[in-house]
Amino acid sequence: MVHVYNCHPFSSQQIVQVEQEPGLICCGGGALFVVATGGCKVEAYNLEKEGCPLICRFATMGTVKSIQHSRMGDYLVTIEGKNCATYLRAYTNWRYQAEGKARVGVRLLGHLLRGASVRGGAQMEIIEIPLSERPVAVACCPVTGDLLVGCENTLVLFTLRRQNQQSQNQSQQMVQSTWTNSQQSSSQSQGQIMDSNPNFLDFERSVILHLSQMKPKQVALCGEYVAVQGELEVLVVKLETSSDPKTLEESDTKKNHLEDHVDFQILPIHQELLGDRAKDCDIAVSIEKTGLEDSKGQYTLSYVLFRRFTPDFFQGCSVEETQLHSLQLYPLFTGNQSMSLQEPSCVFCFFSLPSAGYLYSLKGGVELLSAYQYPEKVLKAVLTDYLLHVITKSALQCFTVRCAAVAARIEDPYIDSTMKACPPCSMEVCALRIQLFIGLRSVCVYGHHVVLLSAADAETTEEPERTTQRRGLSRKWTISSPKETSTAGHGWNLYVVDTVSPLTLYQEMVEYSQRYAETNPQAQSLRHLLSEAHLLLRTSLLQTSEQQRIIEEDSSPSLQADTEGPSVKQAAVRTDSTELEEAFKQNCAQLGDCFSRGSQRECHLALPYYRMSGLSVTELMARNRPLAGRPQSYGPGFLFYLKHYLFEETEQVLSQEAADEVIDIFSQSEPSQLVSVCASPSLINTSPAKTLQILQHLENTAGVSVPLTTTMATMMLRLEDLPEYTRLMERHAEMVLVYGFIEEPRLLLHGGDGGQHAHVRPTALTRQLAKSQPGLLVAAVVALHENNKVQLQHADHIFKELDCENCLQVDFWEAMLMASSQETIIQELLFRVASVYIDRLTNTPSETHTNGPHAPSKRRPLKSADDLINSCSHYGALYPWLIVLNPAHTTSSQHQEALYKLQSLLCGPSLSVGSVMPLMERLSDETLWGFSLHLLCATRRGQYDSSIEKLLDRCPQAIIAYANHHLQDSHMVLWWQKLLPELCNRTRVAADNSILLAALKETLVVVAMETSPTEFLELMPEDGTASYFLPYLLTCSQRHLLA
């Protein structure tokens, strides 16, 4: 369905003063080219100046039957007839005729002029392009300037070459700027070409495509895409260069298969084949080598699109009513493309029947974007960035296009999200106001100029319908060729109609939409019209960014001598861009209003459009406030936006008035969301008394819940009513409260959704819990971390904000060690708590370190060393020999607790000793407790020999307990290989040392039990007293006999 809106896209029109009746027209490069009826002369008029003054005129070598202008290279290509022969010619440097120069050079393709012709200065050249077949249609690539010629059974592609290297580099830098800057004046174009080193353009035949079962009527070329239109079908293929040779056996087979039916005229059926399916069509395309493959690589061909139409004779449809016309390939560049790229981001294919037009997108997947249903028979159509212009015999009409919707999604693949949005590519098109004319025959477009050729007294009688043979086995029909223009006619006119600026058309669309907004704010037409305006602005912004880059390129010293011109242009473009961006934000707000009141199916679109509008939540609430006399209700789209705004972390804090209004909105619309709404950091200024009243009403109606109770306690805290706060918090057990915090984490902390460096801050409830219920706070934060509600670094930041780095933060780490199962986090936490314990042991004796980052706190820790040993597997039970080394009440309780916890960690299985060894160097081993820690580290690292020696030196009374615990299994041999010799040597020196003698006796008992009598005798010292060792030897022998 096509929507019709009474918006006028045209601003003014003028008549071009042409002496003779125009037969053919085309435009490009700021100029309008007119070929007189039956004449051999081309006149160029300046479209950018008032009255369209004549630029130049020059004669052609034959009667012009078709004329095209190339944006790249600024040349004209014609199909001419003379003496019953058809020729293809290109006219380059035609602007030099404006200076009255009569010099014209004529040459063949590939043969540059030499001698006096070049020395005489710049001149217009006519390039004769020989062909083996009669040319039927011609097209120029808007991106590269290449030339595509359609013959009766072949397509020939010519590559544009620039022979002057100095100017070639500058031309290549402006590949995109030449065709996108439609506002560039003809004088600038003339100045670029009239250079001291002019371009000598030439063409090189690069590839020939042979077609079967299809006779070209129109052709189009854009980059790698080639389109050909027959009588009833359109085929689009893609030509790419590749180093891998490929054969075309499949095409040949298809051709031979079809040749078997040459005796029959097969009636084709309607077909639409997109993408890879297009190769299944019955038109075979083969590539003929031209000898250039060695330098350019092999050409490979892939099918892109095939569409065939069939007249419905049973419905009274004639062949002429199914005749295709207006084939066009249209490129579009996006704003994020570099100037050095030649390949456009989007390529569109348009073709039309007299009753309907079709627009396809080719890149990124072939897709039918729009189907245009015309109200009457259309003679010709032209596609532009903004609009589709079509002419009938009596009117010029414009339709909207979807090019901007495709370009927006290619430029930003994530545009359809909660942050951005764009109307869909499949949205129905609309027709704008019709401009009436008489006897329209042709149309062409350049920038915002639409050129129309009309002839009021042109032949109007319709040709009689051709009869078709209805009997026999075959049915054939023919399509009439274009009618020859009457030479005796008069009353013709050549109009230049200027379209309004996109911003003006947008403003008219907005005014037009107000009619729907006043009568039915939820009307589909209102949404559709605002979406059309949105796409119009997107296209304008895209063109503005292109113009900015073009001016920046032109302002380079190597390309532009005048430094004032570009600055003025840049200022004008920036002004236009600012106005367009403001209009774009306004349009996003209007679309957000539409979707905020729309149906549940599309209400989610209010969120991205409101975000793109840049309006604050206060302004949006004012836009959505129910009007007086209407039901007090808010649209689902607005509530959807408001919930996302409140539930996602934001730094924007609402005033008390706005915050109270938000509470009122949800109390009326969605009371179940009140707890989450109250927890939002944006509503920190809400009135606690009023909010508490609403929450109490919710509790009376919906019942008691933990998050609701906690939210009410938070409001009591803000009212400084601590007794009532305590009463509410005591309603539920601590573990039940923890589950409530898991359900709504923002009751404890705000921020943290922005990654590692996001600003996280505690709430007032968190600060109160740190004072009154630290255990509940630690348990809640641990639960939040384990349920992926908060990250470890954010939790650390919370405790730093609370000034609890040395107490609650360490308690949190210890609690995390009990709860976490992630190995990386466990190792990180083990290192942290070990460093804290070492800091406490280092700083406790000295009063100068009490203000350090981990200085001891007067508050007792939540978990003692015994609690951690009993509840956490990472803390091990203290070794028995540590009891001998640990001091008894010789240090403070904090010091002793830190010592026990560090010893327990070293006795546990998880702590990596190597990671804490650099920290252990800060602890002196002069004290017994310090010595015990170093001895633990050495033992964990397997240094038993040195540990035995150190222990015998410092505390021999602990050696037996140490040996009983560590010298077991594979280390049992150390009893007699290390401990026994050491004790013998030391008792020999100090014979009266009762501690060493007792240790020696215990060692001999163990050795006697673990060795044989022979081994025991070998271990006895040579100077030892036999009577001393005899009882142990006897015990060893008896055990051996019993064994």
Side-chain angles (χ1 to χ4, degrees):
M1 184 181 74
V2 177
H3 298 255
V4 180
Y5 300 116
N6 194 25
C7 299
H8 206 300
F10 308 111
S11 60
S12 63
Q13 72 181 39
Q14 55 184 326
I15 297 177
V16 183
Q17 300 298 325
V18 184
E19 296 179 358
Q20 298 181 1
E21 179 181 0
L24 297 172
I25 60 171
C26 76
C27 52
L32 167 64
F33 303 96
V34 180
V35 180
T37 301
C40 300
K41 182 174 61 176
V42 176
E43 296 179 345
Y45 296 88
N46 193 336
L47 282 174
E48 298 295 339
K49 292 185 177 180
E50 186 70 24
C52 299
L54 179 69
I55 298 177
C56 65
R57 60 168 56 93
F58 54 89
T60 60
M61 299 180 66
T63 303
V64 180
K65 297 182 177 180
S66 175
I67 184 170
Q68 295 287 333
H69 176 269
S70 174
R71 295 162 175 171
M72 293 303 303
D74 194 33
Y75 67 87
L76 289 168
V77 60
T78 63
I79 298 177
E80 302 177 11
K82 187 175 183 180
N83 299 330
C84 300
T86 305
Y87 303 90
L88 180 68
R89 298 185 175 100
Y91 294 79
T92 65
N93 295 335
W94 56 270
R95 293 185 189 270
Y96 288 112
Q97 298 299 305
E99 298 182 354
K101 296 181 179 180
R103 295 178 58 87
V104 177
V106 182
R107 63 181 175 89
L108 281 175
L109 174 76
H111 295 72
L112 297 179
L113 296 177
R114 301 280 190 264
S117 298
V118 176
R119 290 194 300 270
Q123 62 183 7
M124 186 177 81
E125 286 188 350
I126 302 176
I127 304 174
E128 189 83 28
I129 304 177
L131 294 168
S132 60
E133 297 183 22
R134 181 176 64 89
V136 177
V138 66
C140 303
C141 177
V143 179
T144 62
D146 294 346
L147 181 63
L148 179 66
V149 182
C151 301
E152 294 183 353
N153 293 296
T154 58
L155 301 177
V156 186
L157 178 63
F158 294 90
T159 304
L160 178 65
R161 301 296 185 196
R162 288 177 175 83
Q163 301 302 324
N164 187 355
Q165 297 298 326
Q166 181 175 353
S167 60
Q168 178 182 359
N169 295 333
Q170 296 180 2
S171 299
Q172 289 297 332
Q173 292 176 358
M174 295 183 289
V175 168
Q176 295 180 16
S177 63
T178 304
W179 75 270
T180 53
N181 190 10
S182 60
Q183 307 300 327
Q184 192 176 18
S185 66
S186 62
S187 61
Q188 292 173 343
S189 301
Q190 182 176 348
Q192 292 175 0
I193 296 176
M194 292 183 180
D195 194 283
S196 59
N197 296 291
N199 286 328
F200 292 96
L201 301 182
D202 199 13
F203 298 92
E204 182 179 54
R205 188 177 65 175
S206 58
V207 66
I208 300 175
L209 302 179
H210 292 270
L211 304 175
S212 67
Q213 306 295 321
M214 186 177 186
K215 294 186 179 297
K217 297 298 181 182
Q218 275 189 300
V219 293
L221 176 66
C222 181
E224 298 176 334
Y225 292 91
V226 175
V228 57
Q229 172 191 305
E231 294 179 349
L232 296 172
E233 58 272 327
V234 173
L235 175 65
V236 181
V237 297
K238 187 176 182 181
L239 273 178
E240 298 176 285
T241 56
S242 173
S243 57
D244 299 330
K246 294 186 177 180
T247 61
L248 296 174
E249 297 177 358
E250 181 180 352
S251 298
D252 297 338
T253 304
K254 187 187 298 185
K255 181 177 179 180
N256 295 335
H257 173 72
L258 294 173
E259 287 176 353
D260 296 340
H261 301 278
V262 71
D263 295 333
F264 300 94
Q265 180 66 32
I266 301 176
L267 182 65
I269 61 173
H270 179 85
Q271 279 185 305
E272 182 186 37
L273 304 176
L274 307 181
D276 294 336
R277 294 182 57 220
K279 66 179 182 295
D280 298 330
C281 69
D282 56 0
I283 298 177
V285 183
S286 60
I287 299 177
E288 177 184 340
K289 296 182 179 180
T290 60
L292 301 175
E293 289 80 4
D294 295 336
S295 60
K296 301 181 64 175
Q298 296 288 337
Y299 278 100
T300 59
L301 183 142
S302 58
Y303 288 79
V304 177
L305 166 67
F306 178 74
R307 185 76 187 262
R308 170 176 285 143
F309 300 90
T310 303
D312 192 350
F313 296 103
F314 298 100
Q315 298 297 328
C317 179
S318 66
V319 176
E320 292 184 351
E321 292 176 354
T322 320
Q323 188 171 3
L324 289 166
H325 60 78
S326 304
L327 177 67
Q328 189 176 355
L329 288 178
Y330 193 81
L332 192 64
F333 289 83
T334 56
N336 58 6
Q337 282 192 285
S338 172
M339 289 298 297
S340 60
L341 293 178
Q342 293 188 16
E343 184 179 1
S345 297
C346 317
V347 177
F348 304 95
C349 178
F350 176 82
F351 51 86
S352 181
L353 295 169
S355 58
Y358 301 90
L359 177 62
Y360 287 86
S361 174
L362 302 183
K363 296 197 70 172
V366 185
E367 177 186 6
L368 175 62
L369 296 180
S370 306
Y372 298 88
Q373 300 297 325
Y374 305 136
E376 54 182 315
K377 183 179 179 180
V378 167
L379 304 178
K380 191 174 181 181
V382 180
L383 177 68
T384 66
D385 291 345
Y386 302 98
L387 299 168
L388 173 69
H389 301 277
V390 302
I391 59 169
T392 64
K393 288 185 177 181
S394 59
L396 167 66
Q397 188 169 7
C398 295
F399 294 85
T400 56
V401 296
R402 299 290 167 261
C403 300
V406 177
R409 286 169 173 82
I410 291 180
E411 185 177 20
D412 185 1
Y414 303 100
I415 195 170
D416 297 311
S417 63
T418 59
M419 299 301 297
K420 299 178 181 179
C422 181
C425 302
S426 58
M427 187 176 68
E428 296 173 342
V429 297
C430 75
L432 305 181
R433 187 185 299 177
I434 298 176
Q435 185 79 10
L436 297 177
F437 290 90
I438 299 176
L440 289 180
R441 290 167 48 188
S442 184
V443 60
C444 60
V445 179
Y446 175 76
H448 63 279
H449 307 289
V450 181
V451 182
L452 300 171
L453 174 60
S454 69
D457 60 342
E459 183 180 355
T460 57
T461 58
E462 297 288 342
E463 290 188 3
E465 295 184 1
R466 287 170 170 78
T467 59
T468 59
Q469 183 177 354
R470 299 183 178 274
R471 295 182 181 179
L473 298 177
S474 64
R475 174 180 294 172
K476 298 183 180 180
W477 59 79
T478 58
I479 304 299
S480 61
S481 60
K483 302 174 185 177
E484 296 294 335
T485 308
S486 174
T487 58
H490 61 277
W492 44 264
N493 279 310
L494 191 60
Y495 300 97
V496 177
V497 181
D498 292 339
T499 58
V500 298
S501 67
L503 190 59
T504 303
L505 182 57
Y506 159 76
Q507 293 169 350
E508 186 176 358
M509 286 182 172
V510 172
E511 294 177 2
Y512 194 84
S513 67
Q514 296 302 317
R515 305 176 185 178
Y516 297 106
E518 294 173 357
T519 56
N520 185 7
Q522 300 182 14
Q524 183 68 26
S525 298
L526 171 62
R527 190 178 311 164
H528 185 272
L529 186 56
L530 291 176
S531 298
E532 292 286 3
H534 184 91
L535 293 178
L536 189 68
L537 293 175
R538 276 194 179 274
T539 307
S540 303
L541 289 170
L542 189 65
Q543 292 293 338
T544 302
S545 63
E546 290 291 332
Q547 292 176 6
Q548 288 177 343
R549 284 197 296 273
I550 293 167
I551 294 174
E552 291 174 1
E553 289 287 329
D554 291 343
S555 63
S556 174
S558 61
L559 298 177
Q560 187 78 25
D562 184 12
T563 59
E564 296 183 0
S567 62
V568 174
K569 291 180 183 178
Q570 288 177 355
V573 171
R574 280 195 295 267
T575 302
D576 293 341
S577 178
T578 302
E579 294 178 354
L580 287 172
E581 289 174 357
E582 289 298 323
F584 183 79
K585 292 180 179 180
Q586 178 189 9
N587 173 261
C588 290
Q590 294 167 340
L591 278 172
D593 293 341
C594 288
F595 289 110
S596 69
R597 308 182 188 98
S599 62
Q600 196 72 30
R601 183 172 59 90
E602 296 180 331
C603 67
H604 64 280
L605 292 174
L607 174 62
Y609 281 115
Y610 273 151
R611 281 179 166 170
M612 291 191 295
S613 70
L615 297 177
S616 65
V617 66
T618 305
E619 294 171 318
L620 293 176
M621 284 193 298
R623 297 175 71 98
N624 285 272
R625 198 170 291 137
L627 300 176
R630 294 190 178 183
Q632 297 293 318
S633 62
Y634 294 85
F638 173 68
L639 293 176
F640 183 81
Y641 161 79
L642 202 55
K643 282 189 288 186
H644 271 74
Y645 172 83
L646 297 174
F647 297 167
E648 294 179 3
E649 299 301 330
T650 177
E651 297 299 327
Q652 183 180 1
V653 178
L654 300 181
S655 63
Q656 179 177 345
E657 181 181 0
D660 290 342
E661 184 176 358
V662 171
I663 296 296
D664 290 335
I665 290 173
F666 280 93
S667 65
Q668 300 170 16
S669 303
E670 293 189 36
S672 60
Q673 299 292 332
L674 273 175
V675 172
S676 298
V677 170
C678 292
S680 172
S682 302
L683 301 184
I684 195 172
N685 292 329
T686 185
S687 171
K690 182 178 180 180
T691 306
L692 186 61
Q693 184 179 2
I694 294 175
L695 293 175
Q696 288 173 343
H697 176 73
L698 176 63
E699 186 181 55
N700 295 333
T701 56
V704 178
S705 68
V706 177
L708 179 58
T709 300
T710 312
T711 306
M712 294 170 63
T714 302
M715 297 302 160
M716 287 296 181
L717 195 61
R718 291 181 57 187
L719 291 172
E720 299 181 355
D721 190 348
L722 292 181
E724 187 63 24
Y725 160 81
T726 304
R727 187 189 67 81
L728 288 171
M729 293 298 290
E730 290 176 352
R731 277 186 179 182
H732 308 283
E734 286 195 353
M735 284 309 301
V736 178
L737 291 174
V738 168
Y739 290 125
F741 291 131
I742 295 175
E743 185 175 345
E744 186 46 73
R746 291 182 302 169
L747 291 170
L748 291 181
L749 54 92
H750 289 159
D753 288 346
Q756 182 176 357
H757 304 290
H759 180 62
V760 186
R761 57 194 181 277
T763 63
L765 178 60
T766 305
R767 297 184 183 277
Q768 179 62 30
L769 290 178
K771 299 176 183 177
S772 59
Q773 294 176 282
L776 173 60
L777 176 60
V778 170
V781 178
V782 170
L784 292 180
H785 180 274
E786 291 303 299
N787 286 274
N788 299 320
K789 301 292 185 179
V790 67
Q791 300 179 20
L792 183 61
Q793 61 269 22
H794 295 158
D796 291 338
H797 184 76
I798 288 293
F799 291 109
K800 290 179 181 179
E801 289 281 331
L802 296 172
D803 295 329
C804 300
E805 297 156 88
N806 191 48
C807 50
L808 282 183
Q809 186 175 20
V810 181
D811 292 332
F812 166 70
W813 292 342
E814 293 172 347
M816 281 292 299
L817 285 173
M818 292 187 288
S820 180
S821 59
Q822 303 179 37
E823 186 61 28
T824 55
I825 292 180
I826 290 173
Q827 291 301 323
E828 172 69 19
L829 293 175
L830 286 173
F831 178 79
R832 290 186 184 184
V833 295
S835 62
V836 170
Y837 300 152
I838 293 174
D839 285 343
R840 290 179 178 178
L841 292 173
T842 305
N843 298 330
T844 299
S846 174
E847 295 296 331
T848 59
H849 296 86
T850 55
N851 293 326
H854 294 291
S857 173
K858 296 181 180 180
R859 186 188 65 80
R860 294 180 60 85
L862 296 177
K863 295 290 183 181
S864 65
D866 292 336
D867 296 333
L868 292 175
I869 292 172
N870 294 329
S871 58
C872 183
S873 60
H874 306 296
Y875 288 82
L878 298 183
Y879 300 149
W881 56 272
L882 287 173
I883 299 175
V884 182
L885 296 179
N886 286 339
H889 308 294
T890 57
T891 59
S892 64
S893 59
Q894 290 92 347
H895 183 279
Q896 192 169 13
E897 193 68 27
L899 176 62
Y900 287 167
K901 289 182 178 180
L902 182 56
Q903 289 176 338
S904 178
L905 275 183
L906 292 171
C907 294
S910 303
L911 179 65
S912 174
V913 178
S915 64
V916 297
M917 282 304 298
L919 301 177
M920 294 295 295
E921 294 177 358
R922 297 165 51 192
L923 296 176
S924 173
D925 59 354
E926 295 179 358
T927 60
L928 278 180
W929 61 266
F931 170 70
S932 68
L933 295 173
H934 285 280
L935 191 63
L936 271 172
C937 292
T939 303
R940 285 284 303 274
R941 300 175 72 180
Q943 301 173 359
Y944 294 105
D945 291 356
S946 61
S947 298
I948 291 173
E949 295 176 2
K950 292 177 181 179
L951 193 55
L952 288 174
D953 291 337
R954 295 291 300 274
C955 188
Q957 60 268 31
I959 189 62
I960 297 302
Y962 178 88
N964 284 331
H965 189 83
H966 296 290
L967 304 185
Q968 300 292 330
D969 300 329
S970 61
H971 303 295
M972 181 65 73
V973 295
L974 293 177
W975 280 91
W976 52 86
Q977 291 182 0
K978 181 62 180 178
L979 183 56
L980 181 59
E982 284 288 336
L983 288 173
C984 289
N985 293 334
R986 292 174 185 271
T987 54
R988 184 181 298 112
V989 176
D992 56 346
N993 193 326
S994 59
I995 297 177
L996 291 177
L997 288 174
L1000 180 58
K1001 291 179 180 180
E1002 292 290 337
T1003 303
L1004 287 172
V1005 171
V1006 174
V1007 173
M1009 295 297 294
E1010 297 295 333
T1011 60
S1012 65
T1014 304
E1015 292 171 341
F1016 189 85
L1017 285 173
E1018 293 177 356
L1019 294 173
M1020 291 176 59
E1022 295 180 357
D1023 58 346
T1025 304
S1027 60
Y1028 184 82
F1029 293 97
L1030 187 59
Y1032 301 103
L1033 179 58
L1034 180 62
T1035 302
C1036 180
S1037 300
Q1038 291 175 349
R1039 185 191 58 80
H1040 185 70
L1041 290 174
L1042 292 174

